[in-house]
Amino acid sequence: MTRHSSVSSEDGDTSRVEVPHVNSSNSVLSPQAAQPSSTSSDPDNISHHHQRRSSADPRTSSSISRRSTSINWKSADAGNGLIEKPPSPTRSTPPSASPLGLIPTANGAHAKREMEKAHDAMFAVRHQRWRSPWTIGLLALVASFTGIALLLTVVHSSVTRQLDPKGCRMSYLRPSYAKLNEFDTEHTRLASKYSLYMYREQGIDHDTRVRGVPVLFIPGNAGSYKQVRPIASEAANYFHDVLQHDPELYNAGVRSLDFFTVDFNEDITAFHGQTLLDQAEYLNEAIRYILSLYLDPRVSDRNPDLPDPTSVIVLGHSMGGIVARTMLIMPNYQTNSINTIITMSAPHARPPVSFDSQIVKAYRDINDYWRHAYSQQWANNNPLWHVTLVSIAGGGLDTVVPSDYASVKSLVPDTHGFTVFTSTIPTVWTSMDHQAILWCDQFRKVLVRALFDLSDVHRASQTKPRAERMRVFKKHLLTGMETVAEKTAPRSDPTTLLTVEDNSDTIIAQGERLVLRQLGTTGRVRAHLLTIPPPGPPEVKRFTLMTDTKLDKPGEHGKLEVMFCSVVPSQPGQAGAGFPSQIDLSKGTTGTTRLACRSAAPDVILLPGSNKTTRFPFYRDLEDEVLPFYYLEYDLDDIAEQQFIAVVEKATNPAPGFVIAEFSDQSRSHQTEQIGLQRLLTLGLKFTMPATRPMVTEIKVPSLQSSLLAYNLRLSSHSCGNREELFTPMVRQYLVEPYESKYFVNVRDAPISLHGVAPYVPPPLTKRSASEDGLSFQFWTDPTCNSSIEVELSVDFRGSLGKLYMRYRTVFAAFPLLVVALVLRKQFRVYDSTGVFITFTESLDLCLRQSIPLMLASLTLLTFATANPNPAGSASFWHWNKSTSLIDFHLNDYLIGTQDPMFLFLIPMIGIICIGVCTVFNYITLALTHLLSSLFNLLAFRPAWVRNDDRKKQGASTFLSSSPRRRMITTAVLLFLVSTAIPYQFAYLVACLVQLTTTVRAQRIAQELQSVANSSFYNYVHSILILMLWILPINLPTLVVWIHNLAVHWLTPFTSHHNVLSIMPFIVLVETLTTGKMVPPVTGRMKHVTSTLLFGIAIYAVVYGISYAYTLHHLVNLVAFWLVILHSTSDSWPISGIKHLYEGDAEDRKGGKEP
């Protein structure tokens, strides 16, 4: 009888295989069973082969065919999928096989002969049908190689292209820590797990008394309490060496900072929501205790006239920043005890991974609370009105948490917080990795100065009001060129009286540029006056000045000072009254003009120095210091109330230094390139800066928003003729939101990457204007060179591939399940149609012909059709529950995390990569099972005189399972432990190990006894193992947290991980497979249940798996439950036969060893 092989009819596979017919009603082979097919050996050869085997083996055929097994033979009517059913007109007859692939024995000589003939016939054809699991089709091979090549290209690009240079300098300190033992279990139930410490700098802090402003440091995921030491050490030294000697600052409320830190025993916060909530609960009690210390005269050394502190400044690193925000929603939060939160490399926008349901829920609750608070119309209804939140991101060097996730634009308005990158911060100008942001010397200095600047011990909150705190943060952390930057100098009180001659040549004519190539050339103090033009049409102007010489503050005696001046009417007797500083350049002449001037020093902007020797905007340890440039930039409206800009050249001896100052028209200095992204991808962008350009030229490209693309910027070389350049070209790329700037000095070629619109990041809390979209470039070039510069911007395609790694590396927790589920679905469909469970790679080859391409194409086209700039449109398709708010913050949670149709090619691309990953993973699993099988064979004792056929029988007899009673007891004990002590993730790991053992045993039998039944069972358990192993990474983090808690003697069970139903189907299925029972084929409509379940998993894994990966475990759990039901349909023993199962097991084992 002929039938199709492992391919279902719809796949069009026409390969044929001969299968002997078996009469399943008697378990005796019928005479027709031995008829060979055209592809089999002729009867004479078969008979001759049988005679040789019979003569060589003195044992009876009955003893040869008997195998030890725990399964009692029964008719096919009982539903056992391992016993062949009678042939039907609509279905091919699967081969008859036990779990070990052997034929049932028959009584009587005639039956014995018929069985021997059938055995030989099956032996002749089973090798033809048996297919090695290592075999792979051409289509699957090509797709897998393509996927692996793409993956390797992405990884190679991420580590070799578009890399930010490292520029952090090392910090040095002398730390010590004082444990606050009085903060014990009387204050919090978590005191036995966590500890509170106070930082003390050796040589400066000689006791543990509190005397300053309390600051609490919260470490991140698996972080140490000692990570506070670089920042705390800098604060102690800066106050000791500088601030305490300044009486003006002391009177303004500046005091030392008392740093407290928490030992969380390196808790793994990122993967476990309950740990996050526990830490927040503990820290609220810790703040209550810290504030109480300032009320205790035994430990407080504060001035009794100062108000008692009521709030604490919070610094959070990584997940510590999320814990800080969580504290404000906890029931034990003390109102107004936190008003300033500074986070470093904290993933605010979304959890780093979604393996735990509680971490996803905690993020949703935290972010919803913050968004709802800031959506209130009145401040009295906003519990967070007094809170400021500043998120500092490390940038491209942070490979632990994508810096896109550090954005808080979806959480707080600009009045209460912002996101800034370390490459933006003046004097820092470098990206940082996840740990370097704590110890980077130039960054910690800026952060500490900002902390001192916002503190005020004269207030109970210990900080300045919210609006002033925001000004402090913007002053220290932003460049000063942002639109939100405040210009204070033109509106400040006059500080200097400048007297000049009426007929002097110091006034620069309008439209002229002031250029000083060297200072002090005249041998005297000289003032250069630039007349401020009136504001208004026809041209909008701005003033810019750049120099490499530090600008003096009022009263300082340096080389250069810039002031905004207005004419002072002459009044007898009041020559210099009211001016702290005076500069008289009149030379005693009678015709003079007096100018009341305000220093521009408070508004000076620091820029990295750019000359022929500089390579980076920073300098590293053991390198020569690179002095910065000093830059001023004002719109005409900012200085319209003044009349002159005075550039006072104080140097009286020739000194190196340059000054360039000018008024420029905005039409010449600003340009917007309206170029589409499609054209930019194909043709790039080219433009020319003319020879008569201003010093600063700004180019805006609105289409450059995505963080998934990288670019190359190239500037042509230009010549200054016989004169040397005052400075080499410098470029700043920047985004309006978040505040990310990067500087390129002495630039010819610059790699451009950004953290703009990123996948899976929620939309901003407030809609941005069109002027805020896109990437902008500022070019500082020497305008005296009188030569044009060609600029070319092109897409770096290879570098862009590397940007996919950080944004989409978590897809491997979900997307491969699309491939695995569809492959397993095809295996079951073929099995239900033919009775043969094909290999994983064979099924993958079939899926690549139809189901996988159709799935990827459908998802791509459907997403493209439903992509809508209006968030509500997309939300209505992807959401189960539609948001009632105007802004759908979950809009980007699904599929590839972006609504931009330009990047829909990522769906098939990621699918191809996952095909390659699944193929490699399949072969790794095969190699592991074969390795374990080989190790078992080496360890097993086999006498040398045992013949080959006996070795096969002895090896096959190793598929011995424990008795049903023992399996039931084991399962019950494991489920009891899950419900009481251990998380179900531990039981899942055990289930995976048991399934691996079952697969190894099945592989040994399938290799030694190559039959259809044995290979089908092996392929079945192998595919189930692959499915379970893909779910294992989702469960491992919680298991690691549980083991870590045991290590620190924290035995409190997890309330959220003891659901027995979450693991019972896996345990029962795995225990069932240890018996060697094959799942029965399903006919009729019920076979669609398996197909529907696996198809649903494939869809869910792609659409929702990235943001809700924890649900994949429960979906696969449903599949396991359904397979358990299918297996149970083959168990039709009467209750009276249960005793036989328990008693017959030992007899079967013993009988299998009889000679």
Side-chain angles (χ1 to χ4, degrees):
M1 180 177 179
T2 63
R3 64 174 174 83
H4 292 294
S5 70
S6 59
V7 184
S8 58
S9 59
E10 65 268 22
D11 296 316
D13 188 2
T14 58
S15 60
R16 305 165 71 88
V17 63
E18 298 295 332
V19 180
H21 173 65
V22 180
N23 187 344
S24 60
S25 60
N26 324 334
S27 298
V28 178
L29 296 176
S30 64
Q32 292 83 357
Q35 295 180 359
S37 68
S38 59
T39 60
S40 305
S41 303
D42 58 82
D44 295 336
N45 291 339
I46 298 175
S47 175
H48 178 65
H49 171 74
H50 173 66
Q51 290 173 4
R52 284 183 298 159
R53 293 189 58 190
S54 300
S55 62
D57 196 341
R59 294 178 297 172
T60 65
S61 60
S62 176
S63 65
I64 293 174
S65 61
R66 184 171 63 246
R67 296 287 305 276
S68 113
T69 177
S70 61
I71 298 180
N72 295 325
W73 292 104
K74 55 184 179 298
S75 66
D77 297 336
N80 192 336
L82 297 177
I83 307 299
E84 185 174 301
K85 296 182 180 180
S88 63
T90 60
R91 178 174 174 176
S92 301
T93 306
S96 173
S98 71
L100 304 178
L102 296 180
I103 303 173
T105 60
N107 296 325
H110 176 74
K112 180 173 68 176
R113 287 193 301 271
E114 296 296 336
M115 185 175 64
E116 289 173 351
K117 292 179 181 180
H119 182 278
D120 292 336
M122 181 175 292
F123 183 85
V125 301
R126 66 185 178 185
H127 289 283
Q128 175 185 351
R129 178 60 196 91
W130 184 83
R131 177 168 179 168
S132 171
W134 296 89
T135 306
I136 186 172
L138 179 61
L139 181 59
L141 181 64
V142 172
S144 300
F145 268 111
T146 303
I148 295 301
L150 281 174
L151 178 61
L152 293 177
T153 303
V154 169
V155 175
H156 181 266
S157 175
S158 67
V159 298
T160 59
R161 300 183 68 88
Q162 292 285 336
L163 301 180
D164 293 338
K166 297 181 179 180
C168 278
R169 298 188 292 273
M170 184 59 65
S171 56
Y172 300 92
L173 40 105
R174 295 164 294 179
S176 64
Y177 309 89
K179 185 176 181 180
L180 304 181
N181 294 314
E182 293 185 359
F183 185 58
D184 52 19
T185 53
E186 293 184 1
H187 296 84
T188 173
R189 65 182 182 89
L190 296 162
S192 58
K193 182 181 181 182
Y194 303 140
S195 303
L196 181 65
Y197 287 84
M198 185 178 185
Y199 180 86
R200 300 281 87 179
E201 179 74 2
Q202 297 183 29
I204 295 178
D205 300 317
H206 303 288
D207 55 38
T208 59
R209 305 186 71 180
V210 294
R211 54 179 58 90
V213 178
V215 181
L216 177 63
F217 173 79
I218 307 175
N221 181 62
S224 169
Y225 69 98
K226 296 181 179 180
Q227 290 176 323
V228 71
R229 58 187 182 266
I231 299 174
S233 175
E234 173 64 22
N237 284 278
Y238 183 60
F239 180 81
H240 180 268
D241 298 337
V242 179
L243 297 183
Q244 70 173 351
H245 305 297
D246 190 333
E248 182 179 352
L249 294 176
Y250 190 86
N251 295 331
V254 175
R255 297 292 188 276
S256 62
L257 301 178
D258 295 327
F259 275 87
F260 298 87
T261 181
V262 184
D263 182 9
F264 285 136
N265 287 308
E266 300 182 356
D267 260 348
I268 304 176
T269 323
F271 304 139
H272 197 243
Q274 186 58 50
T275 302
L276 178 75
L277 298 177
D278 287 347
Q279 291 186 1
E281 176 188 341
Y282 176 84
L283 289 173
N284 277 329
E285 299 300 333
I287 287 181
R288 195 185 306 272
Y289 175 77
I290 290 171
L291 294 177
S292 69
L293 295 178
Y294 292 85
L295 306 178
D296 189 350
R298 297 174 301 172
V299 295
S300 177
D301 191 23
R302 282 170 60 95
N303 188 336
D305 295 333
L306 296 176
D308 297 327
T310 59
S311 68
V312 174
I313 300 173
V314 176
L315 299 181
H317 174 243
S318 187
M319 288 301 295
I322 310 304
V323 175
R325 290 177 48 227
T326 309
M327 296 166 62
L328 280 75
I329 73 168
M330 298 297 292
N332 66 333
Y333 170 65
Q334 183 176 337
T335 305
N336 297 332
S337 60
I338 299 174
N339 66 5
T340 303
I341 300 177
I342 303 174
T343 66
M344 296 164 285
S345 299
H348 292 286
R350 60 180 285 114
V353 292
S354 57
F355 294 165
D356 178 55
S357 60
Q358 274 196 313
I359 195 70
V360 175
K361 182 180 183 301
Y363 258 85
R364 183 173 61 249
D365 294 342
I366 297 165
N367 290 347
D368 288 347
Y369 178 87
W370 280 67
R371 290 166 182 153
H372 180 266
Y374 288 115
S375 66
Q376 301 302 311
Q377 183 177 3
W378 305 105
N380 292 336
N381 298 330
N382 182 1
L384 303 179
W385 180 256
H386 63 288
V387 178
T388 55
L389 173 64
V390 175
S391 175
I392 305 173
L397 289 179
D398 190 345
T399 58
V400 176
V401 175
S403 290
D404 307 289
Y405 294 177
S407 174
V408 296
K409 61 183 179 181
S410 65
L411 301 172
V412 297
D414 295 337
T415 56
H416 289 74
F418 57 84
T419 305
V420 62
F421 285 72
T422 56
S423 58
T424 305
I425 302 174
T427 70
V428 178
W429 297 321
T430 179
S431 297
M432 301 176 190
D433 62 50
H434 201 66
Q435 298 298 328
I437 200 170
L438 291 171
W439 56 260
C440 187
D441 185 58
Q442 58 264 47
F443 170 69
R444 67 168 184 160
K445 284 181 167 58
V446 174
L447 180 60
V448 165
R449 282 153 180 75
L451 291 175
F452 279 114
D453 204 1
L454 61 85
S455 62
D456 185 0
V457 295
H458 295 144
R459 297 176 176 270
S461 63
Q462 302 298 291
T463 59
K464 296 176 180 178
R466 177 192 54 80
E468 293 188 30
R469 295 201 304 272
M470 289 300 298
R471 280 194 288 268
V472 168
F473 284 129
K474 292 175 182 178
K475 173 185 174 182
H476 287 275
L477 302 180
L478 301 186
T479 64
M481 291 176 280
E482 295 81 3
T483 56
V484 297
E486 298 181 4
K487 305 295 185 180
T488 61
R491 295 177 175 83
S492 60
D493 295 331
T495 57
T496 303
L497 179 64
L498 176 62
T499 305
V500 296
E501 297 178 356
D502 290 340
N503 299 324
S504 66
D505 57 353
T506 59
I507 299 179
I508 309 297
Q510 286 195 12
E512 296 293 329
R513 176 186 296 124
L514 171 64
V515 178
L516 301 178
R517 293 185 171 273
Q518 191 177 17
L519 302 180
T521 56
T522 61
R524 60 184 177 85
V525 178
R526 186 178 181 185
H528 306 273
L529 301 180
L530 286 82
T531 304
I532 299 177
E539 289 289 348
V540 178
K541 295 180 179 291
R542 70 169 178 174
F543 170 75
T544 55
L545 179 146
M546 188 165 73
T547 178
D548 60 350
T549 304
K550 184 178 182 298
L551 298 184
D552 284 352
K553 296 179 181 179
E556 293 183 345
H557 303 284
K559 298 179 182 179
L560 189 67
E561 186 173 0
V562 178
M563 298 177 290
F564 300 98
C565 304
S566 299
V567 176
V568 178
S570 298
Q571 295 182 5
Q574 297 182 0
F579 294 98
S581 176
Q582 298 184 32
I583 301 177
D584 189 356
L585 305 179
S586 63
K587 302 178 184 178
T589 60
T590 56
T592 61
T593 301
R594 298 190 310 160
L595 302 176
C597 301
R598 300 155 178 83
S599 174
D603 293 338
V604 69
I605 298 170
L606 296 181
L607 296 178
S610 180
N611 52 58
K612 292 182 178 180
T613 62
T614 55
R615 297 174 54 231
F616 303 111
F618 49 80
Y619 65 94
R620 303 186 180 99
D621 291 322
L622 305 180
E623 293 181 352
D624 294 335
E625 181 179 359
V626 178
L627 297 178
F629 288 170
Y630 300 88
Y631 178 67
L632 293 173
E633 179 181 278
Y634 293 95
D635 291 334
L636 205 56
D637 293 337
D638 295 331
I639 56 178
E641 298 178 0
Q642 310 301 320
Q643 295 174 301
F644 298 97
I645 298 177
V647 179
V648 182
E649 189 180 351
K650 295 183 177 181
T652 56
N653 296 314
F658 72 87
V659 178
I660 300 178
E662 65 181 1
F663 285 94
S664 59
D665 296 334
Q666 188 170 1
S667 59
R668 297 179 58 201
S669 62
H670 288 72
Q671 181 179 347
T672 300
E673 295 290 341
Q674 298 292 349
I675 181 174
L677 190 57
Q678 294 85 351
R679 184 179 178 185
L680 186 63
L681 291 172
T682 55
L683 302 177
L685 174 63
K686 297 181 181 179
F687 56 90
T688 302
M689 293 189 293
T692 57
R693 64 186 177 274
M695 178 180 63
V696 184
T697 304
E698 186 166 337
I699 307 295
K700 185 179 184 64
V701 188
S703 59
L704 301 188
Q705 301 185 49
S706 176
S707 61
L708 298 179
L709 293 178
Y711 309 89
N712 286 322
L713 182 69
R714 177 169 298 176
L715 277 69
S716 65
S717 59
H718 66 289
S719 173
C720 276
N722 298 328
R723 292 183 299 184
E724 186 177 356
E725 284 182 301
L726 296 177
F727 61 93
T728 54
M730 177 172 54
V731 178
R732 170 195 174 220
Q733 67 158 84
Y734 71 93
L735 290 170
V736 175
E737 190 179 61
Y739 297 117
E740 181 186 25
S741 296
K742 291 184 181 179
Y743 294 91
F744 304 95
V745 297
N746 192 21
V747 63
R748 290 292 179 266
D749 296 280
I752 305 298
S753 60
L754 62 149
H755 293 84
V757 179
Y760 305 110
V761 176
L765 192 64
T766 56
K767 188 176 181 180
R768 297 187 301 179
S769 62
S771 61
E772 296 178 334
D773 292 334
L775 185 67
S776 298
F777 299 94
Q778 277 184 300
F779 299 87
W780 284 269
T781 57
D782 187 352
T784 64
C785 289
N786 199 27
S787 61
S788 61
I789 298 179
E790 300 290 336
V791 181
E792 179 181 357
L793 181 67
S794 59
V795 177
D796 183 358
F797 291 99
R798 293 177 59 189
S800 299
L801 288 177
K803 301 304 174 184
L804 300 177
Y805 169 74
M806 282 300 298
R807 277 78 179 188
Y808 287 106
R809 59 183 178 177
T810 56
V811 301
F812 294 108
F815 261 74
L817 277 179
L818 164 71
V819 179
V820 175
L822 291 180
V823 168
L824 191 58
R825 174 176 175 266
K826 175 61 69 176
Q827 287 177 302
F828 272 106
R829 293 184 65 182
V830 173
Y831 176 63
D832 291 338
S833 301
T834 66
V836 178
F837 207 93
I838 59 178
T839 64
F840 185 90
T841 51
E842 188 177 359
S843 178
L844 176 62
D845 191 77
L846 297 178
C847 291
L848 287 173
R849 300 177 186 179
Q850 185 177 18
S851 58
I852 292 180
L854 284 179
M855 174 75 76
L856 296 178
S858 300
L859 289 171
T860 303
L861 294 177
L862 192 58
T863 306
F864 177 79
T866 56
N868 194 332
N870 182 10
S874 298
S876 62
F877 173 72
W878 293 119
H879 262 200
W880 287 336
N881 299 318
K882 297 181 182 179
S883 176
T884 58
S885 62
L886 297 178
I887 301 176
D888 184 4
F889 294 104
H890 302 284
L891 177 66
N892 297 326
D893 283 354
Y894 314 107
L895 210 60
I896 57 173
T898 177
Q899 297 295 311
D900 192 343
M902 177 62 65
F903 299 103
L904 291 182
F905 74 92
L906 292 175
I907 297 177
M909 177 181 172
I910 294 174
I912 294 174
I913 292 177
C914 289
I915 291 171
V917 171
C918 289
T919 301
V920 171
F921 187 77
N922 171 62
Y923 281 115
I924 292 176
T925 308
L926 286 174
L928 177 62
T929 54
H930 280 70
L931 176 62
L932 295 177
S933 176
S934 301
L935 291 176
F936 185 86
N937 290 334
L938 291 176
L939 296 176
F941 174 74
R942 295 186 180 185
W945 57 83
V946 177
R947 297 173 54 256
N948 183 56
D949 292 339
D950 292 336
R951 289 183 182 182
K952 290 183 178 181
K953 294 177 176 58
Q954 183 178 358
S957 66
T958 59
F959 209 122
L960 299 175
S961 62
S962 59
S963 66
R965 178 187 302 170
R966 181 177 300 175
R967 294 198 305 272
M968 292 176 61
I969 294 175
T970 302
T971 302
V973 170
L974 193 57
L975 293 178
F976 173 77
L977 291 176
V978 169
S979 63
T980 56
I982 65 175
Y984 71 78
Q985 288 83 357
F986 179 82
Y988 185 83
L989 176 61
V990 174
C992 288
L993 295 177
V994 174
Q995 182 66 16
L996 176 62
T997 304
T998 301
T999 306
V1000 171
R1001 296 161 67 188
Q1003 186 273 331
R1004 295 182 63 244
I1005 296 172
Q1007 186 177 19
E1008 295 182 0
L1009 300 176
Q1010 297 179 357
S1011 67
V1012 176
N1014 288 341
S1015 64
S1016 292
F1017 180 74
Y1018 169 63
N1019 294 334
Y1020 170 55
V1021 296
H1022 173 78
S1023 296
I1024 295 298
L1025 175 63
I1026 290 180
L1027 181 63
M1028 294 179 65
L1029 290 180
W1030 271 120
I1031 302 297
L1032 184 60
I1034 298 176
N1035 294 280
L1036 282 180
T1038 301
L1039 181 60
V1040 172
V1041 173
W1042 179 69
I1043 296 175
H1044 176 268
N1045 284 349
L1046 292 182
V1048 299
H1049 308 291
W1050 183 254
L1051 305 179
T1052 303
F1054 298 151
T1055 58
S1056 58
H1057 301 295
H1058 294 281
N1059 187 357
V1060 175
L1061 297 179
S1062 298
I1063 192 59
M1064 181 184 294
F1066 284 112
I1067 295 178
V1068 176
L1069 176 62
V1070 168
E1071 286 291 340
T1072 302
L1073 295 179
T1074 59
T1075 64
K1077 288 202 308 179
M1078 182 66 182
V1079 63
V1082 181
T1083 58
R1085 297 181 179 179
M1086 296 302 294
K1087 66 180 181 181
H1088 298 298
V1089 176
T1090 308
S1091 181
T1092 302
L1093 286 175
L1094 293 172
F1095 185 80
I1097 290 177
I1099 291 290
Y1100 188 94
V1102 174
V1103 178
Y1104 297 98
I1106 306 301
S1107 298
Y1108 306 96
Y1110 65 91
T1111 57
L1112 296 176
H1113 170 93
H1114 303 291
L1115 292 177
V1116 177
N1117 191 43
L1118 290 177
V1119 174
F1121 177 71
W1122 172 246
L1123 294 179
V1124 169
I1125 293 177
L1126 295 182
H1127 277 282
S1128 65
T1129 60
S1130 64
D1131 299 334
S1132 59
W1133 299 292
I1135 298 179
S1136 60
I1138 295 180
K1139 180 178 180 181
H1140 175 71
L1141 289 176
Y1142 285 84
E1143 296 176 353
D1145 186 66
E1147 296 178 359
D1148 290 340
R1149 299 181 185 221
K1150 182 177 179 180
K1153 298 181 181 179
E1154 292 179 356

